[in-house]
Amino acid sequence: EDQVTQSPEALRLQEGESSSLNCSYTVSGLRGLFWYRQDPGKGPEFLFTLYSAGEEKEKERLKATLTKKESFLHITAPKPEDSATYLCAAGGSNYKLTFGKGTLLTVNP
Amino acid sequence: DTAVSQTPKYLVTQMGNDKSIKCEQNLGHDTMYWYKQDSKKFLKIMFSYNNKELIINETVPNRFSPKSPDKAHLNLHINSLELGDSAVYFCASRAKAEYNSPLHFGNGTRLTVT
């Protein structure tokens, strides 16, 4: 069975303090690794898709990387508006996306 | 201009009642999904339709029945509601039933069963 594990469950940073979120996956035939951002009371918002080990993608202060077993979401010099839950999901050899439980990021001013 | 819209946003009802949640997408996507997010924020897939055909049917009680009248709509009907059904239900769509295209989510329906 496909599994996705995210760590830490919660992360509190000061504004400008860079850090990384981790996503470990066990998926049969990975077709894509997805990162989403979820704000309270909203649906997940798509950020990135990574397809193969070694791939990197960037968007503003966020950079996602992928290895054969893990993905990292690096947050550089975060701002309070980056506070949200970040979800990782893996797409395997079926039509499903299996989600992790997410990391709740809080950035204090 | 909302891409994936769900109604209602909030639904409070008593045990034993029957209720429906509606979802519509205007993205022209072929595939739609229902996900359940429990109190621990864990998103779990329930159903998926591709061009009105059911392609994913996870281990979900028979009280839950999806219906797709056309590829832009996917509704969820729940019979005999139980306390454990309380959760946020998300509708999502995808361009094709492909492995590597992202899901686009609605803003959820918070169901509370009392």
Side-chain angles (χ1 to χ4, degrees):
Chain A
E1 186 177 328
D2 297 345
Q3 282 195 324
V4 175
T5 303
Q6 291 187 248
S7 61
E9 287 188 14
L11 180 62
R12 192 177 290 269
L13 299 173
Q14 288 299 120
E15 185 171 2
E17 180 187 0
S18 301
S19 189
S20 295
L21 312 182
N22 176 265
C23 171
S24 299
Y25 62 90
T26 305
V27 172
S28 174
L30 181 75
R31 296 294 198 265
L33 190 291
F34 301 80
W35 282 98
Y36 286 83
R37 169 189 171 129
Q38 187 174 21
D39 292 298
K42 302 274 185 166
E45 177 188 346
F46 170 70
L47 293 173
F48 304 109
T49 310
L50 301 165
Y51 297 107
S52 56
E55 189 175 0
E56 297 183 353
K57 288 198 175 166
E58 286 189 67
K59 181 179 180 179
E60 296 181 358
R61 295 176 291 283
L62 301 177
K63 182 167 87 171
T65 62
L66 182 66
T67 72
K68 287 188 177 179
K69 294 184 179 179
E70 294 176 304
S71 179
F72 294 92
L73 185 65
H74 307 278
I75 304 175
T76 302
K79 297 183 177 182
E81 53 262 42
D82 294 322
S83 298
T85 296
Y86 290 85
L87 298 167
C88 170
S93 54
N94 52 40
Y95 300 124
K96 304 179 195 178
L97 280 190
T98 300
F99 281 84
K101 292 186 178 180
T103 294
L104 174 61
L105 175 66
T106 305
V107 182
N108 295 317
Chain B
D1 193 19
T2 306
V4 181
S5 59
Q6 298 178 226
T7 54
K9 187 169 175 62
Y10 300 98
L11 186 53
V12 181
T13 188
Q14 291 185 326
M15 283 175 56
N17 285 347
D18 303 338
K19 291 293 178 185
S20 292
I21 306 171
K22 294 187 177 182
C23 178
E24 176 181 4
Q25 55 93 4
N26 62 5
L27 296 167
H29 287 170
D30 294 320
T31 310
M32 296 184 73
Y33 296 77
W34 280 111
Y35 275 83
K36 178 181 180 180
Q37 190 170 46
D38 60 25
S39 57
K40 295 184 179 179
K41 307 296 184 185
F42 188 44
L43 266 170
K44 193 168 182 184
I45 190 169
M46 299 174 70
F47 302 104
S48 178
Y49 273 76
N50 183 52
N51 274 327
K52 302 193 294 177
E53 180 187 350
L54 183 66
I55 58 171
I56 296 174
N57 186 358
E58 290 294 282
T59 308
V60 174
N62 291 337
R63 300 181 293 103
F64 290 79
S65 53
K67 276 206 175 141
S68 182
D70 55 61
K71 75 173 192 176
H73 295 84
L74 180 62
N75 303 322
L76 183 65
H77 188 75
I78 315 169
N79 289 327
S80 304
L81 278 155
E82 300 178 357
L83 292 176
D85 297 332
S86 295
V88 182
Y89 292 84
F90 285 98
C91 177
S93 71
R94 199 176 206 179
K96 292 184 181 181
E98 291 178 347
Y99 308 124
N100 56 9
S101 58
L103 294 177
H104 297 262
F105 284 86
N107 281 328
T109 296
R110 181 174 293 277
L111 172 65
T112 304
V113 182
T114 61

